[in-house]
Amino acid sequence: MSELHVMSERKSPLVLAPDGIGIGKSLSVTKVRKTYGTMTAVDEVSMEIGAGEFVTFLGSSGSGKTTTLMMIAGFVEPDSGSIVVGGRDVTRLAPQKRGLGFVFQQYLLFPHMTVSENVAFPLELRGLSKQDIRNRVGETLEMAGLSRFARRRPRELSGGQQQRVALCRALVYRPPVILMDEPLGALDKKLRDQLQTEIKRIQRELGLTVIYVTHDQEEALVLSDRIAVMRDGRIDQFDTPQELFERPRTPFVADFLGAANFLPGTVESDGAVRLDTGGVVRTRRHDHAAGARVQAAVQPGRLAVCAPEDGFCTGIVETVTYVGTLVRVTIRPDGAGSTIRLEIPAGRAPLMGDRVGLTADPDDVSVFDAAGTGG
Ligand code: ADP
Ligand code: MG
């Protein structure tokens, strides 16, 4: 049975336990640090997360996402710093005493137990009555569209279904905070999309606080209220997807989130940037002095083509690739410089070999110093 089929068959309205709404708690992480020998895995990370917020740690492999999450979970002890959940300092508490839920990439289901038994397990540990357990397991399986699989064992389920069971097992005792480390990493794209939607829906319905780890920008953008972009054990920027995209504070964020174009140049007396390729691009407000060497950064989706004489830059269209209603266009700028990437509505696509100009709204052009600290 396909996932899609399962989801479309789930018609009955959601039934929630009375205590199952708005259960999320706030979380503050203050200057947590973890070293392994001479290697600093997490370097004084601090963040405030609101109750009911969906926060994602986004970064490439080795940036410290899992270590930060594991310190919040209690499986890794920080060298220093503190972790407070809903006003309670949990820094020195064992994981099971923190009351948090976890979902990892590996499903870690008990193979000899049915779906129901797997989901009931955390409640049995907590000593709930048989009747309460039955009700709560039923509700939770229904919420995740798994009622009809209650009696199956994990090996009789697809990967996506198994991961839903793992999610149910974390949700069933209604923890105020759920921690998820690349939970969809083992699934194919289509299934990932479906489960993202499910996770987001359940999080909203319960008002859960979720901390989610991924290296996938798109996944982070789809799911998150705010994203912490991590690099080398630090947070480069912690902001809403829109702010990260529109006001990246570092070239790394501009590049990681939107694959920005970086155009080297020099600041003019009026603050505009004279590009090394010749033209002048007007930019967002910045505090770089006239004469400073900078790079102007602009996302592919924020560039438009125009007549050559109207652009801040001119070049020849090298490739035009249709992706749905959008086209990806690459342009080789006249003179020197690396290829510039655009993403524009299909109706406005130029032809390969055309000579075009490029324009952008000044508000969409960020300015970073050439060394890369941003501003
Ligand atoms: P991410 O989840 O972003 O890929 P991790 O938090 O797993 O990154 O790792 C951050 C850094 O810490 C990496 O360089 C990793 O090799 C190192 N690291 C993580 N756990 C250990 C450990 N138990 N022992 C030694 N080094 C570790
Ligand atoms: Mg990791």
Side-chain angles (χ1 to χ4, degrees), residues 153-172:
R153 282 172 219 283
R155 67 167 180 279
E156 298 164 321
L157 300 174
S158 70
Q161 289 160 350
Q162 289 184 46
Q163 193 55 302
R164 268 172 211 237
V165 177
L167 181 63
C168 284
R169 202 175 48 183
L171 283 169
V172 75

Side-chain angles (χ1 to χ4, degrees), residues 36 39 41 60-67:
Y36 292 105
M39 145 84 204
S60 36
S61 177
S63 57
K65 306 180 299 293
T66 294
T67 306

Side-chain angles (χ1 to χ4, degrees), residues 16-24 128 136 139 172-175 206 208:
L16 284 177
D19 61 341
I21 298 167
I23 56 179
L128 267 71
R136 189 53 84 72
E139 273 166 24
V172 75
Y173 58 97
R174 304 289 186 259
L206 295 178
L208 280 175

Side-chain angles (χ1 to χ4, degrees), residues 267-287:
V267 178
E268 302 261 85
S269 55
D270 64 354
V273 174
R274 176 166 295 279
L275 301 178
D276 292 354
T277 46
V280 172
V281 62
R282 291 194 303 122
T283 74
R284 275 175 38 204
R285 262 146 66 94
H286 62 84
D287 48 20

Side-chain angles (χ1 to χ4, degrees), residues 156-205:
E156 298 164 321
L157 300 174
S158 70
Q161 289 160 350
Q162 289 184 46
Q163 193 55 302
R164 268 172 211 237
V165 177
L167 181 63
C168 284
R169 202 175 48 183
L171 283 169
V172 75
Y173 58 97
R174 304 289 186 259
V177 180
I178 293 204
L179 310 175
M180 304 197 199
D181 194 349
E182 313 240 6
L184 310 182
L187 307 177
D188 66 38
K189 168 106 177 78
K190 194 168 160 220
L191 212 47
R192 265 204 328 261
D193 290 349
Q194 285 175 12
L195 274 162
Q196 280 167 13
T197 312
E198 289 286 283
I199 288 172
K200 189 74 193 166
R201 180 181 61 79
I202 292 170
Q203 179 258 339
R204 285 228 180 92
E205 282 171 0

